[in-house]
């Protein structure tokens, strides 16, 4: 049973080229299934067994999206097992995940983005500030917002992957798929200012963004540095790297209305994933309407 799961996880990593994070999530979900069904071999599970496992998950107060993710992992395993491991049936066939209200992603307004990226400049010369790290951070955060990068894509960038002349960068996204995205002028300027400061640090790495020790910067370091910048800029909401990606998508869509272009720049396999930003755009328009239209709001009694 464990050997079958390991074979499937190797398939996810080597053949489907999923990220370590995705493989680890699948490992946890399958381990949970094994725990829930007890000693019954995975090859012998029935539709009733899977239903019972889902009921137990809901009984543990697991949210609907988490239950849906578990079921998706189980379904993927059985689809693979029936094709490659000799399993005779897929007990997940016909099961639908519990419905959950779609939650719109958080985002930042254009003014908040400007406050984040511009206001911190006045503090760059403070005694406790490190000018080298300030330049690096500015380049990272400008690039996140300018190009809508995922955090893993940002930390995975090499110097050779950025073309400041053409204003483009090539990134490796989910499933090891590459795409080219534009870099805005302010991000180009920030990277140009960072590169001479990077050279003395990065002796043995091709990474564009490095730590004080000269190694490729870690995702956690980016998260902590961005949180520090946001607090220093006086923003009253939690700011994290993916929030800048949401802001990029929302602001480009509001300005252009070109959903397909936003899909390509974000690297979404399906346009339905990108369409969530049309809901954010409508939410913004509805707020404008409620504020501006003289007959939009109820008159006080």
């Amino acid at each position: 049973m464990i050997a079958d799961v390991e074979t499937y996880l190797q398939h996810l990593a080597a053949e489907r080229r999923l990220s370590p994070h995705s493989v680890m999530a699948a490992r946890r979900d399958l381990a949970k299934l094994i725990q829930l069904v007890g000693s019954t071999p995975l090859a012998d599970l029935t539709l009733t067994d899977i239903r019972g496992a889902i009921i137990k998950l809901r009984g543990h107060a697991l949210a609907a999206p988490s239950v849906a993710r578990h079921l998706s992992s189980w379904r993927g395993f059985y689809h693979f097992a029936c094709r490659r491991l000799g399993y005779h049936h897929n007990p997940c066939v016909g099961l639908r995940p519990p419905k959950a209200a779609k939650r719109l992603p958080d985002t930042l307004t254009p003014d908040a983005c400007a406050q984040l990226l511009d206001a911190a400049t006045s503090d760059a010369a403070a005694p406790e500030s490190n000018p080298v790290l300030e330049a690096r951070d500015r380049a990272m955060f400008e690039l996140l917002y300018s190009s809508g990068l995922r955090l893993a894509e940002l930390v995975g960038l090499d110097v050779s992957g950025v073309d400041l002349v053409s204003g483009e960068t090539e990134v490796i996204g989910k499933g090891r798929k590459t795409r080219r995205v534009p870099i805005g002028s302010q991000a180009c300027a920030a990277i140009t200012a960072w590169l001479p400061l990077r050279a003395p640090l990065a002796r043995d790495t091709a990474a564009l963004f490095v730590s004080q020790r000269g190694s490729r910067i870690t995702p956690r370091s980016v998260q902590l540095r961005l949180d520090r910048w946001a607090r220093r800029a006086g923003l009253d909401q939690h700011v994290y790297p993916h929030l800048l990606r949401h802001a990029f998508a929302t602001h480009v869509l509001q300005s252009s209305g070109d959903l397909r272009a936003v899909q390509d720049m974000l690297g979404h396999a399906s346009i339905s994933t990108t369409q969530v930003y049309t809901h954010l755009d409508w939410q913004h328009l509805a707020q404008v309407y409620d504020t501006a239209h003289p007959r939009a709001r109820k008159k006080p009694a």
Side-chain angles (χ1 to χ4, degrees):
M1 186 157 61
I2 300 299
D4 290 347
V5 170
E6 290 300 325
T7 300
Y8 173 62
L9 296 174
Q10 290 172 11
H11 159 73
L12 293 182
E15 297 182 37
R16 292 191 55 193
R17 304 171 81 179
L18 297 189
S19 69
H21 177 79
S22 297
V23 175
M24 184 60 67
R27 179 186 295 278
R28 288 194 300 266
D29 294 342
L30 289 167
K32 189 65 177 180
L33 176 62
I34 292 171
Q35 176 192 338
L36 292 172
V37 300
S39 60
T40 307
L42 292 178
D44 296 338
L45 294 185
T46 65
L47 179 65
T48 300
D49 294 322
I50 299 296
R51 278 203 181 107
I54 291 174
I55 291 170
K56 290 177 182 177
L57 287 178
R58 296 308 299 268
H60 296 160
L62 210 63
S66 296
V67 175
R69 192 203 68 236
H70 277 77
L71 180 57
S72 177
S73 295
W74 302 347
R75 185 183 288 117
F77 167 76
Y78 277 105
H79 180 71
F80 171 83
C82 289
R83 289 187 298 111
R84 303 273 284 271
L85 301 178
Y87 282 35
H88 298 299
H89 70 285
N90 184 341
C92 298
V93 170
L95 282 178
R96 293 184 179 181
K99 289 185 177 181
K102 287 189 176 180
R103 179 179 175 272
L104 295 180
D106 296 327
T107 189
L108 288 168
T109 66
D111 287 344
C113 288
Q115 182 178 342
L116 173 71
L117 297 171
D118 295 339
T121 304
S122 60
D123 292 335
E128 69 277 8
S129 297
N130 183 321
V132 174
L133 299 186
E134 296 291 338
R136 181 203 63 192
D137 293 351
R138 176 171 297 284
M140 290 194 304
F141 306 150
E142 287 280 6
L143 184 56
L144 280 172
Y145 178 50
S146 164
S147 304
L149 303 187
R150 299 180 177 96
L151 177 56
E153 294 168 351
L154 178 84
V155 300
L157 273 178
D158 291 339
V159 174
S160 60
V162 175
D163 187 341
L164 296 177
V165 176
S166 65
E168 291 182 328
T169 182
E170 184 173 271
V171 297
I172 301 175
K174 289 186 175 180
R176 305 294 296 174
K177 294 179 181 178
T178 61
R179 72 182 189 280
R180 295 194 70 83
V181 294
I183 305 175
S185 59
Q186 294 193 55
C188 282
I191 295 171
T192 300
W194 156 243
L195 287 176
L197 301 174
R198 169 196 173 277
L201 290 176
R203 298 186 179 90
D204 301 316
T205 180
L208 176 59
F209 298 113
V210 297
S211 67
Q212 284 181 286
R213 295 186 178 89
S215 58
R216 187 181 296 274
I217 196 167
T218 65
R220 184 56 179 159
S221 293
V222 178
Q223 292 169 338
L224 291 173
R225 296 293 294 187
L226 180 55
D227 180 66
R228 175 178 176 270
W229 268 57
R231 286 186 282 106
R232 195 173 66 180
L235 294 180
D236 58 359
Q237 69 181 104
H238 175 51
V239 179
Y240 48 94
H242 215 71
L243 192 64
L244 292 178
R245 177 172 161 88
H246 292 324
F248 160 85
T250 306
H251 301 164
V252 171
L253 187 60
Q254 286 175 354
S255 299
S256 68
D258 193 333
L259 189 64
R260 184 67 66 179
V262 174
Q263 177 195 1
D264 290 342
M265 287 187 282
L266 291 175
H268 286 161
S270 170
I271 200 167
S272 62
T273 308
T274 318
Q275 283 176 330
V276 67
Y277 296 106
T278 64
H279 298 299
L280 286 175
D281 192 30
W282 169 251
Q283 196 174 54
H284 167 74
L285 291 174
Q287 290 172 351
V288 171
Y289 172 81
D290 286 342
T291 303
H293 197 285
R295 299 182 72 84
R297 291 168 295 176
K298 291 182 179 179
K299 293 182 179 180

